[in-house]
Amino acid sequence: MKNQQFETLAIRTQCPRSDQKEHSVPLFLTSSFVFDSAEEGAGIFKGELEGNLYSRFSNPNTDEFAQKLSLLEGCEAGVATASGMAAVYISFVAHLQQGDHVVASSAIFGNSRYIISQILPKMGVTHTFVEVDDNTAWAAAIQKNTKLVYVESPSNPTLKTADLAFIGALCKMHDVLYLVDNCFASPYLQQPAKFGADLVIHSATKFIDGQGRVLGGAIVGTKEAVEPCYAFIRRTGASLSPFNAWVLSKSLETLHVRMDRHCSNALALAEFLSTHPSIEKVIYPGLESYPQYAISSKQMKLGGGLVGCEIKGGTAKGSAFLNALNMLSLTANLGDSRSIATHPASTTHSKLSSEEQLAVDITPGFIRFSVGLEHIDDIIQDVDQALNLIKA
Ligand SMILES: *Cc1c(COP(=O)(O)O)cnc(C)c1O
């Protein structure tokens, strides 16, 4: 398996065939597994014998999904979780203790920010937020008791890029655990372990499922960093359901094909928006005009499936634009085969004051597109007619 390419690993990694010799992987929808003898049961319980025991601990479908994802990320080990948030939370609590300090980028997924700023303090863990693209600030934020650095790149929702190699070197120098949420890029576009990440986490709900069906997540990384996460999951019950794992593992087989199309559609939409008179500015990591293009094109194979833009006219025009769309979905998800438009100022980030929104670069007219797999002409046509309609 060692020398195989990403596409081949994604398709050919699977759990051993059963005696039915099925070609596609069967679904092992079972809570527990039987022992051939009292001795075998005792041996598996003690960890002296290999074997499945109970699906909160392990299951062929969840193991297959975690193992395949860790191979695709270029990591040693992996464990599946019930959702992306379970992956975020568990990677924190499995590694942190009272008195520890976390450095995280300020523009991150809202619930991840909530865990860092509201839940970790209850455990006596402090934090510093820094601008994701400010290398000097990252270096300055590391303290004696810093245990973990947390990065999301590209960031949500403003699509800024972290210099993953710089932050990796910083973590190595200070012996700090380096955690990257790779949800927006997927392992096909970016493999943070190459830049020194100890742990890479995913919301598999997004591009990995890619069809808006199931929740799921995963933590992959070095054996040493993943092991405490697995121990925590099997005891506290954040395990992924076998059914969702089966769906997600099948989805990984087509990830590369879908990502190529997400990215080419996103680039075409970004180019269209760049020339439109109603658009103030466009943010897309794959555009040469993107402020951090030198870094994004070094770390990411393509620009990704998300595009941000600033509509002239602020909040009112932002909401009017969403209402004027015919085809694009208004929904709280991303990474779907269906294109989605969101207006963070009035929805996902509406709990922040307007000053707080501006501090994380969420301007009143900011729209985030998750560009799907429909024909690009139809996507652009819908966006164009909506922009024309609100101009009047
Ligand atoms: C959606 C998302 C999560 C949370 O994942 P769930 O599967 O919804 O729990 C975490 N990080 C990022 C960047 C996300 O987009």
Side-chain angles (χ1 to χ4, degrees), residues 238-312:
S239 327
L240 181 62
S241 90
F243 179 79
N244 287 10
W246 176 78
V247 170
L248 292 168
S249 186
K250 288 305 282 180
S251 296
L252 280 176
E253 295 187 12
T254 56
L255 180 69
H256 55 284
V257 185
R258 291 184 285 106
M259 289 313 295
D260 277 337
R261 183 61 65 84
H262 279 297
C263 294
S264 62
N265 278 356
L267 178 62
L269 178 66
E271 282 168 349
F272 164 78
L273 291 168
S274 304
T275 61
H276 202 286
S278 305
I279 302 297
E280 192 79 48
K281 70 169 176 183
V282 179
I283 306 162
Y284 181 62
L287 275 183
E288 275 176 45
S289 61
Y290 179 70
Q292 299 160 279
Y293 184 69
I295 300 174
S296 72
S297 54
K298 194 182 76 185
Q299 359 188 106
M300 280 170 72
K301 189 183 169 97
L302 295 162
L306 292 142
V307 175
C309 77
E310 172 71 24
I311 293 191
K312 289 178 185 165

Side-chain angles (χ1 to χ4, degrees), residues 69-115:
L69 188 60
S70 78
L71 273 176
L72 296 180
E73 284 284 4
C75 292
E76 280 175 352
V79 58
T81 57
S83 67
M85 284 326 298
V88 176
Y89 180 65
I90 282 154
S91 48
F92 286 147
V93 292
H95 285 283
L96 296 170
Q97 51 191 355
Q98 193 173 13
D100 287 343
H101 174 252
V102 171
V103 181
S105 42
S106 55
I108 50 175
F109 191 65
N111 293 301
S112 305
R113 199 178 156 102
Y114 179 87
I115 291 175

